[in-house]
Amino acid sequence: MKVVLAIDSYKGSLSSFEAATAVERGIRKVYPGAKIEKTAIGDGGEGTLEAFSQTPGAEACSALVLNPLGKKVRAKYVLFDRGGSVCAGMEAAQAVGITLLKNLSPMEATTFGLGELILKAAKRGAKKFYIGLGGTATTDGGMGMLAALGVKFFDKKNSKIASFGGRNLIEVSKIDASEIAVKGLSFEILCDVKNPLCGPEGAVRVFAPQKGATPKQVELLEKGMRSYSEILSGVAGFDVSEAEGAGAAGGLGAAFMGVLKAKRKSGIEGVLEAVSFSKKLKGADFVVTGEGRLDSQSAMGKAPEGVARFSKLAGVPVIAIGGGIEKGAEGLYKCGVNAMFSSLRKPASLPEAMAKGTAFENLEKVSENIFKLIKAVKSVRK
């Protein structure tokens, strides 16, 4: 028997690989000789870097870059080969993540460090970049990242702008990308966010409050983002303000698509393609996927949906396991999931259920029972 394990992290509890290891132990109690292939996965946020690191021949790298407020931080990334080309897998949050700051500062926070990280990988030979956009602390429209890559910004007096936080958006009157340092490189941005750059559902009004913006700052940032989007659209050659996903990561999506001509993909789709997941499915009898909570969002571009969709195309049955299963999770059946199970074995508070040891043991036990059932059914059929 061959089983492919592709489980998203149980956030705050188990990493993607730890969750897969727990399931593997349960399966081996029933099928000791099973061929089990574990694939760490992520949907553009936490766990994405771990997924890239599991690619055969992947090299774990790191570099000192600036965090959102200009202090040095060591950010990790991964180099791997795909089709003879050196690729870089990144999480934007490694350089400009909200967890890097004790005190949030939406008006000053900048994506400059992400641009530095891209340059570091490019110097190591990376030609194609897969970048997860989840978890940033920034609302700078990608100004900082572009500036680190050699793009110049000017104000109405034609003076060069030297700071690249959210408060500087309103100052931008001209953008010169003629000397950008990453010509010839290709980018894919991985995110499930479809928000436009501006407006009620845009980068500022939806996400800036989560990054510490006060109501007054939200109005200032929105005004600046609208002005900035007009200038950026002139460079892009299309209206970036309404592009699907332009508002991701405080406008990073707009900068990537508008200036770097990046392709946007759902996080899980980009990750699964990058790690050649379809090849792993060959000869598989079952796929096990899941995440900490299976709900309506799980079927809308999250990791279990992507895994199920890829597996369905390959004709492989899919089992989904969640710490909990909530209303709306049944949407996964339409995506290719054949059965869903909760790993909880008895009533427990959320902290108790999320304790690493408990979560690991629960996953192991439910996996053991699932495959005991499969073995019993196979025995009856014989």
Side-chain angles (χ1 to χ4, degrees):
M1 175 179 285
K2 177 181 176 181
V3 184
V4 177
L5 308 181
I7 305 167
D8 200 2
S9 62
Y10 277 39
K11 291 179 175 59
S13 184
L14 300 173
S15 71
S16 174
F17 197 73
E18 287 171 336
T21 300
V23 173
E24 178 186 22
R25 288 191 183 182
I27 295 172
R28 291 209 183 280
K29 289 182 177 179
V30 185
Y31 289 100
K35 180 179 180 181
I36 297 177
E37 185 153 4
K38 293 184 290 188
T39 300
I41 58 172
D43 57 12
E46 179 187 345
T48 301
L49 196 63
E50 183 184 13
F52 290 131
S53 71
Q54 300 302 313
T55 304
E59 178 186 357
C61 307
S62 68
L64 282 174
V65 299
L66 298 181
N67 79 2
L69 296 181
K71 294 188 177 181
K72 289 287 186 180
V73 62
R74 183 161 292 279
K76 299 176 182 179
Y77 65 97
V78 173
L79 293 178
F80 59 96
D81 179 89
R82 191 175 183 212
S85 179
V86 179
C87 300
M90 296 180 172
E91 289 179 10
Q94 281 284 316
V96 297
I98 197 167
T99 58
L100 299 176
L101 303 180
K102 291 183 178 179
N103 299 305
L104 302 179
S105 184
M107 303 302 285
E108 282 74 32
T110 174
T111 53
F112 194 90
L114 177 59
E116 291 182 306
L117 194 63
I118 290 170
L119 288 178
K120 299 282 188 181
K123 288 181 180 179
R124 293 288 310 275
K127 300 296 182 185
K128 184 167 186 176
F129 291 76
Y130 297 89
I131 304 179
L133 298 190
T136 71
T138 54
T139 312
D140 72 346
M143 276 183 68
M145 176 196 70
L146 293 175
L149 298 179
V151 175
K152 297 181 177 64
F153 296 87
F154 299 89
D155 61 21
K156 292 180 180 179
K157 296 181 180 180
N158 207 35
S159 296
K160 191 175 176 182
I161 297 172
S163 298
F164 312 104
R167 71 169 63 256
N168 304 106
L169 290 167
I170 194 67
E171 301 173 14
V172 179
S173 180
K174 176 185 174 183
I175 299 175
D176 179 3
S178 61
E179 297 181 15
I180 195 165
V182 290
K183 293 177 181 178
L185 305 185
S186 64
F187 296 84
E188 283 192 10
I189 52 175
L190 313 177
C191 68
D192 298 321
V193 171
K194 297 182 180 180
N195 302 65
L197 187 58
C198 305
E201 300 300 318
V204 175
R205 297 202 181 280
V206 174
F207 301 113
Q210 301 171 16
K211 301 175 183 184
T214 64
K216 183 178 180 179
Q217 289 174 330
V218 166
E219 296 307 317
L220 292 172
L221 287 168
E222 177 68 14
K223 183 178 180 181
M225 194 69 81
R226 286 187 178 279
S227 174
Y228 172 74
S229 72
E230 292 181 10
I231 310 301
L232 187 62
S233 294
V235 176
F238 64 92
D239 184 3
V240 298
S241 66
E242 294 301 322
E244 192 173 86
L252 256 179
F256 270 110
M257 291 186 283
V259 180
L260 301 179
K261 308 304 178 187
K263 295 180 180 179
R264 175 190 166 275
K265 288 190 175 181
S266 75
I268 186 59
E269 181 180 352
V271 168
L272 293 178
E273 287 185 2
V275 301
S276 301
F277 185 68
S278 293
K279 291 183 179 179
K280 300 176 188 290
L281 294 173
K282 291 182 179 179
D285 296 288
F286 293 97
V287 169
V288 179
T289 188
E291 59 183 349
R293 181 177 64 186
L294 297 174
D295 56 22
S296 60
Q297 295 298 309
S298 300
M300 298 176 66
K302 293 296 185 180
E305 182 271 339
V307 171
R309 183 158 42 84
F310 273 63
S311 302
K312 185 177 181 179
L313 288 172
V316 184
V318 180
I319 298 165
I321 305 175
I325 301 176
E326 299 189 4
K327 185 177 180 180
E330 58 271 12
L332 284 168
Y333 291 130
K334 295 180 180 179
C335 303
V337 168
N338 297 89
M340 285 186 285
F341 298 86
S342 170
S343 62
L344 286 179
R345 294 184 293 147
K346 64 179 181 179
S349 67
L350 185 59
E352 289 172 335
M354 289 181 64
K356 185 182 285 286
T358 301
F360 191 98
E361 183 180 1
N362 284 345
L363 266 176
E364 180 181 344
K365 292 296 184 182
V366 73
S367 301
E368 179 183 354
N369 285 325
I370 290 169
F371 280 83
K372 278 183 175 179
L373 176 60
I374 289 172
K375 189 172 185 178
V377 171
K378 284 181 175 288
S379 177
V380 170
R381 286 182 176 178
K382 287 179 179 180

